[in-house]
Amino acid sequence: MNKTDEFLAPAACIDADHPAVIAFTREVVGDLSSQREKAVALYYAVRDRIRYDPYQIDLSDDGLKASTTLLAGRGWCVPKAALLAAVCRAAGVPAKVGFADVKNHLSTERLRQSMQTDVFHWHGYTSILLDGRWLKATPAFNIELCEKFRLQPLEFDGREDSIYHPFDLNGNRHMEYLKLRGEMADVPAALLRSEFERLYPQMQRLDREADFAADVDAEIAHG
């Protein structure tokens, strides 16, 4: 087996063989020929066409699937990272998911109350193999959200890592990387469930029907 085969094959959560994932990939990639062009186009499609919504934390096997997030049109960082990995694989570009603990200053009062911390453990990103190098790409925050919070949108050129900026456009603290947890061929669903139960015991009270966009507007209005 080639050492990259595992990162091209469909997996439980990175379901690159799902018909919706394949159709999305073909639409975005079109007649692009190079691995880099495909990866960059897919990054922007996942970043901006799938809205970031941290209220949609569903740790079930189905909830963590790339196809579930694609069909819903929204999701939080882990399944968005899984989706980017899935569409890359569907396009023939090796990809995996990575995890880090970060201190995230982009939040809402509802989210802070449910998490009881500003540390986001097991934040998800995608690692993509291009020209022999694994590059980090972070597709979570869609451009409209960045504009609202005055964040510099993350760009990805397929040549360098794309990870969150430490400060927003006003010079305020935005994201601090505390710990890298490693990169994997698939989302470790069972491990995430046990970790979230341990780290965020109040998260089960988070109202998944709440309007994240409205809460973001309220957060901005109150400074």
Side-chain angles (χ1 to χ4, degrees):
M1 177 185 292
N2 189 291
K3 62 182 180 180
T4 62
D5 286 351
E6 183 180 20
F7 307 115
L8 284 168
C13 293
I14 304 177
D15 51 346
D17 56 348
H18 189 282
V21 172
I22 294 171
F24 181 87
T25 303
R26 288 175 175 168
E27 177 205 339
V28 172
V29 168
D31 59 0
L32 296 176
S33 58
S34 78
Q35 299 282 81
R36 179 178 292 111
E37 287 177 316
K38 292 176 183 179
V40 169
L42 290 166
Y43 169 82
Y44 284 105
V46 172
R47 188 193 77 175
D48 293 334
R49 289 167 60 174
I50 309 299
R51 289 181 294 121
Y52 175 71
D53 189 344
Y55 295 173
Q56 301 305 307
I57 294 182
D58 179 353
L59 295 171
S60 69
D61 289 346
D62 185 66
L64 290 168
K65 285 181 181 292
S67 58
T68 299
T69 296
L70 175 60
L71 293 170
R74 60 182 182 175
W76 54 294
C77 62
V78 171
K80 284 196 70 173
L83 176 56
L84 179 54
V87 294
C88 282
R89 291 182 187 185
V93 181
K96 53 187 174 180
V97 285
F99 299 92
D101 293 348
V102 300
K103 185 171 285 191
N104 182 5
H105 298 265
L106 187 159
S107 188
T108 65
E109 181 61 25
R110 190 188 307 274
L111 195 57
R112 287 190 293 272
Q113 288 298 319
S114 68
M115 292 177 60
Q116 297 292 300
T117 177
D118 61 355
V119 176
F120 286 64
H121 297 277
W122 293 93
H123 155 71
Y125 63 89
T126 312
S127 188
I128 305 171
L129 183 62
L130 293 169
D131 293 331
R133 297 173 57 217
W134 285 102
L135 301 177
K136 295 177 175 60
T138 313
F141 295 168
N142 51 288
I143 192 166
E144 295 88 354
L145 183 65
C146 291
E147 290 171 349
K148 281 187 176 184
F149 269 107
R150 287 196 50 76
L151 301 175
Q152 185 175 339
L154 278 180
E155 309 298 341
F156 179 62
D157 63 4
R159 292 180 170 85
E160 302 293 338
D161 288 337
S162 177
I163 58 175
Y164 288 123
H165 306 289
F167 298 96
D168 66 15
L169 294 176
N170 292 325
N172 300 315
R173 198 48 101 159
H174 166 40
M175 186 76 75
E176 300 168 61
Y177 283 78
L178 305 177
K179 176 183 179 181
L180 291 174
R181 290 186 174 267
E183 299 177 350
M184 308 175 191
D186 198 11
V187 177
L191 177 59
L192 285 186
R193 285 191 285 271
S194 65
E195 283 285 89
F196 272 58
E197 184 176 349
R198 177 178 69 85
L199 296 164
Y200 305 119
Q202 304 297 320
M203 281 289 282
Q204 61 184 352
R205 299 180 184 179
L206 180 62
D207 182 3
R208 290 181 58 204
E209 299 304 315
D211 188 333
F212 176 64
D215 282 0
V216 166
D217 291 337
E219 193 79 19
I220 295 168
H222 289 95

